[in-house]
Amino acid sequence: MSTEEVRGYLILRIEEASGRTKKDEFVWDTNVESEFQAFIKVDLRGGSRNVKAQTKRAPLIGETVTWREDVVLEVLEGANELRFLFCRDRYHGGKRGTSVIAACGIFVDDIIEAVPIDKYFELFKPNLLGGGGFIRICMNFVKDLSELQQPPRWWPLLRLP
C-alpha cells in the first residue's frame, strides 16, 4: 500500500487526433516504410512520481487516428501537468523505438476547475515551431473511485490502473 497522498483520479477518454492544423495544413509525416500507427502516451507530472499510461496503437485513416479509449490516472498531491504525447513506433537497425510526432500539456488545476471537459486541444511539434494537429479528449475528476458508480453519460466501461 502506498503512503503517497492521492488527491483524486483523472478520468480520460482519448477520442481521436487529427493531423490538420488551424491553417488547415496536414502536418504528420506519413512517408515511412511501415503503416502509420499511432498511440498516445499520457504523463501526469509532479508529485512524488510521474503517473503514466498509454493507449493501444491505432491506424491513420484519412487524416485522423481514432482510439475512443479510456484511461484512469491517480492524481498525487503536487501533480501539476498532464501531458499527451502523440507517438508512433520508429524502427532503426531492426530495433523498435518511439518517435514523438506532437504533444500538448495542460495544468492539472485548470482541468479540475473545468471538468467535465470534452474538447479538442492543439498539439505542437516538439522542438519545432508550428502546430502538430489536434487531439480530442474527454476528462473528468473524482476524489474517490466510488463516485464512478454514476459515470457521466459519455463514459463507457472504465479500465482502472
Side-chain angles (χ1 to χ4, degrees), residues 4-63:
E4 298 168 302
E5 192 67 31
V6 176
R7 186 174 175 190
Y9 299 86
L10 271 178
I11 315 301
L12 309 173
R13 179 157 174 91
I14 301 167
E15 290 282 347
E16 65 185 14
S18 167
R20 289 247 167 232
T21 65
K22 285 182 181 180
K23 295 180 180 178
D24 201 31
E25 299 169 324
F26 185 76
V27 292
W28 297 340
D29 181 14
T30 57
N31 296 326
V32 292
E33 295 176 14
S34 60
E35 177 185 11
F36 192 105
Q37 295 243 349
F39 57 98
I40 300 294
K41 285 186 173 185
V42 183
D43 191 3
L44 186 56
R45 295 177 167 234
S48 58
R49 63 180 167 84
N50 292 346
V51 177
K52 299 180 180 191
Q54 180 176 309
T55 66
K56 295 176 184 166
R57 285 155 179 76
L60 176 68
I61 299 174
E63 298 173 341

Side-chain angles (χ1 to χ4, degrees), residues 72-92:
V72 177
L73 296 174
E74 196 176 50
V75 180
L76 303 176
E77 286 296 334
N80 54 20
E81 184 182 18
L82 179 64
R83 287 191 182 179
F84 295 96
L85 304 172
F86 179 76
C87 304
R88 65 174 299 171
D89 291 327
R90 168 183 51 117
Y91 297 92
H92 184 70

Side-chain angles (χ1 to χ4, degrees), residues 136-149:
R136 181 179 171 203
I137 307 287
C138 301
M139 295 184 250
N140 209 343
F141 177 81
V142 294
K143 290 188 179 197
D144 190 280
L145 289 176
S146 65
E147 295 176 44
L148 294 178
Q149 292 174 350

